[in-house]
Amino acid sequence: MVTIFKENLIVAKKILIQGGRVINPKTNLDSTMDVLISGSKIESVAPKIQRTKDYTLIDASNYLISPGFIDIHCHLREPGEEYKETIITGTAAAAAGGFTTICAMPNTIPAMDNRSVIEFINNKSKEETSVDIYPIGAVTKGRKGEELTEMADMAKAGVIGFSDDGNPVFDPNIMRQALAYSSSLNLPIINHCEVPELSKGAHMNESWVSTLLGIKGMPNSAEDIMVARDISLSKLTGGHIHIAHVSTKGSIDLIRKAKDEGVNITCEVTPHHLTLTDKSVLGINNDTGNYSPITTNSYNTMAKVNPPLRSFEDKNAMIEGILDGTIDIIATDHAPHSQVEKMCTMNEAAFGISVLETALPSLISLTETTKIPIPLLIEKLTIAPAKFLNLDIGSIEPEKVADLTIFDPTEEWEIQPNNFLSKGKNTPLEGDILKGKIKTTIKKGVPIYTNGK
């Protein structure tokens, strides 16, 4: 559980964060600063703010201070699969990962395909959590791809977009209608791009690794073909298409070209598609692109995810997409599962990785192995998703909401899933030692996570 220190803040009316490196991509600020919080808002950002007796002090020396992270794609599993995750445990994990705002995908049981389920999520989040949750409504009823939902009704209830995530919107005419309908609501369609006929029965990426392991693989074309289709339908309707968890070089090339042509398209990438390849199924996370044999660590079900972890070339294309701006947002696709659903054969295992608590250290590793700087990563985690959601958050400025994340980019720690606040312990990073540790997460002026609590 996340401990919320509201009692302290009743006594201490203001919080002074001193001496941290403040990175605020919206204003291009990257400097050592103090940040003064008054109530739920930021009062001042300055090189030196004088402390008074009634200020609570947070010493951020040698730490980075960023806007609170925003995740536009995660799975909270409630209602219906509370054995995997609940709204409480999912938001606790979010706070531990530095996230102050998250968006819940609709593949719950029942699906989030009507106003009543959306209001259930809204009410639970207001009553039980300290992290803001914005629900995403289903595109089709039951996420079956056959009949559109009442999008306008769900929009009134507060959804930030529509998706059948977990399933693609496979019928092109349904997608055409969805894009046309949602454009009148000024909300995006978020599609899991996968041609079912090409991905059926696949459990990982199609490559020499799948051939070596004897596992049916999913070809890149399963994603590329549907991305191309959605781009064409966005051109036709003018609707905003958002490509979820992009993973192939072909998709990135298509999206880059579409953006150059003025298509109303955005996309996201996950930390694992930026940092891991299909060799993680072999039990190898530090991929150099070279051939590797089968070992006792192979057939790693923790690395089974959809879309699958791709090749070294695809991973590098994701990195290039971040650097040149083709990729708009980094989103976790946090997909918690029970141990039973992963401690089995590759064919039986569920797709998904628990990511909220490992996103930061995974991404920090990129600053050491690629040309991606920390400020750019923070941009993709903060102001970029804020713009996508049309929310006035994601910035460290006076009078803005005090949603802040304080982290040590150099602290090393071993990934131990049993210590996760999420119910989902399913990560291929277990035992890895990574840099980047969340120290304090502040939501609307309240520390909701600090030093592991």
Side-chain angles (χ1 to χ4, degrees):
M1 292 289 290
V2 174
T3 303
I4 302 176
F5 300 95
K6 290 182 178 178
E7 292 182 2
N8 291 342
L9 293 180
I10 291 172
V11 177
K13 297 178 181 179
K14 298 186 179 184
I15 298 176
L16 178 59
I17 307 171
Q18 277 190 335
R21 177 186 171 190
V22 176
I23 297 179
N24 188 39
K26 182 181 178 182
T27 60
N28 294 316
L29 175 64
D30 184 351
S31 183
T32 300
M33 291 278 177
D34 292 350
V35 179
L36 180 62
I37 299 171
S38 179
S40 64
K41 294 189 176 183
I42 296 168
E43 180 176 311
S44 179
V45 181
K48 189 68 177 177
I49 299 174
Q50 190 65 36
R51 184 188 181 189
T52 65
K53 290 183 179 180
D54 63 341
Y55 291 1
T56 293
L57 180 65
I58 296 178
D59 184 0
S61 302
N62 302 316
Y63 297 161
L64 269 66
I65 306 168
S66 85
F69 299 159
I70 302 166
D71 185 14
I72 67 166
H73 187 147
C74 71
H75 302 270
L76 298 182
R77 305 302 189 197
E78 187 177 359
E81 293 183 305
E82 288 83 356
Y83 70 96
K84 297 185 183 188
E85 191 80 285
T86 65
I87 288 172
I88 290 178
T89 59
T91 52
F99 292 89
T100 54
T101 301
I102 60 176
C103 299
M105 278 293 176
N107 58 334
T108 51
I109 304 173
M112 292 159 56
D113 62 359
N114 62 80
R115 186 169 188 149
S116 63
V117 184
I118 299 301
E119 289 179 343
F120 167 81
I121 301 296
N122 289 337
N123 292 335
K124 288 276 287 187
S125 64
K126 289 175 183 177
E127 294 169 1
E128 299 181 357
T129 75
S130 53
V131 170
D132 283 342
I133 301 175
Y134 290 91
I136 297 169
V139 176
T140 64
K141 293 181 179 180
R143 298 173 45 254
K144 296 178 180 179
E146 299 170 353
E147 183 181 357
L148 289 182
T149 56
E150 294 292 340
M151 292 184 181
D153 200 36
M154 288 193 288
K156 291 177 183 176
V159 301
I160 56 84
F162 305 96
S163 179
D164 279 354
D165 190 64
N167 296 331
V169 181
F170 57 85
D171 186 316
N173 191 47
I174 291 288
M175 177 56 91
R176 175 183 180 173
Q177 294 174 34
L179 283 166
Y181 193 178
S182 64
S183 65
S184 67
L185 303 171
N186 196 31
L187 292 174
I189 298 294
I190 304 166
N191 200 22
H192 172 124
C193 287
E194 173 189 329
V195 177
E197 292 82 2
L198 289 172
S199 62
K200 185 177 181 180
H203 302 283
M204 64 173 296
N205 182 50
E206 184 177 282
S207 69
W208 67 265
V209 179
S210 63
T211 301
L212 179 68
L213 293 173
I215 298 172
K216 183 174 181 180
M218 184 189 303
N220 284 22
S221 55
E223 178 174 309
D224 300 347
I225 290 170
M226 191 164 282
V227 168
R229 182 207 73 174
D230 288 352
I231 289 170
S232 179
L233 292 173
S234 178
K235 288 181 182 178
L236 176 66
T237 62
H240 179 181
I241 184 68
H242 178 82
I243 308 301
H245 40 51
V246 64
S247 70
T248 70
K249 181 180 184 301
S251 293
I252 288 293
D253 291 342
L254 287 165
I255 294 166
R256 183 180 290 113
K257 185 174 183 294
K259 286 190 168 189
D260 288 343
E261 294 174 354
V263 177
N264 191 6
I265 185 171
T266 52
C267 69
E268 68 189 46
V269 69
T270 71
H272 39 283
H273 288 108
L274 280 167
T275 57
L276 302 176
T277 71
D278 52 5
K279 284 176 67 175
S280 288
V281 181
L282 278 171
I284 301 168
N285 287 343
N286 299 316
D287 182 17
T288 60
N290 300 321
Y291 175 83
S292 300
I294 295 175
T295 70
T296 55
N297 294 322
S298 298
Y299 297 94
N300 183 9
T301 60
M302 297 298 177
K304 182 177 178 180
V305 64
N306 194 12
L309 299 174
R310 301 287 188 180
S311 69
F312 189 71
E313 181 185 22
D314 291 313
K315 183 186 76 168
N316 286 341
M318 300 305 108
I319 292 168
E320 186 61 34
I322 290 286
L323 287 168
D324 70 12
T326 302
I327 295 175
D328 302 274
I329 295 164
I330 296 173
T332 70
D333 192 14
H334 173 72
H337 291 291
S338 69
Q339 286 186 319
V340 171
E341 292 165 310
K342 285 292 190 177
M343 300 298 288
C344 52
T345 67
M346 184 64 70
N347 289 2
E348 295 169 318
F351 290 97
I353 298 174
S354 183
V355 184
L356 283 170
E357 292 166 84
T358 62
L360 176 70
S362 293
L363 296 172
I364 290 294
S365 69
L366 289 171
T367 65
E368 299 181 341
T369 59
T370 74
K371 296 178 182 179
I372 300 178
I374 286 181
L376 181 57
L377 292 173
I378 291 176
E379 176 191 333
K380 302 298 183 182
L381 287 167
T382 59
I383 192 61
K387 289 179 179 177
F388 176 81
L389 298 172
N390 290 315
L391 296 175
D392 189 21
I393 56 176
S395 184
I396 305 176
E397 300 175 79
E399 299 303 314
K400 297 293 185 182
V401 173
D403 289 357
L404 302 171
T405 298
I406 304 171
F407 63 93
D408 185 344
T410 63
E411 182 177 339
E412 292 185 340
W413 59 291
E414 182 179 349
I415 306 299
Q416 297 179 331
N418 287 336
N419 293 334
F420 286 178
L421 296 183
S422 170
K423 285 187 177 184
K425 316 301 180 186
N426 48 302
T427 174
L429 301 177
E430 180 174 6
D432 286 3
I433 297 175
L434 299 176
K435 291 180 181 179
K437 188 72 172 175
I438 300 295
K439 309 307 289 187
T440 301
T441 306
I442 297 173
K443 179 65 184 177
K444 295 178 182 176
V446 178
I448 58 171
Y449 175 89
T450 185
N451 295 323
K453 296 183 180 179

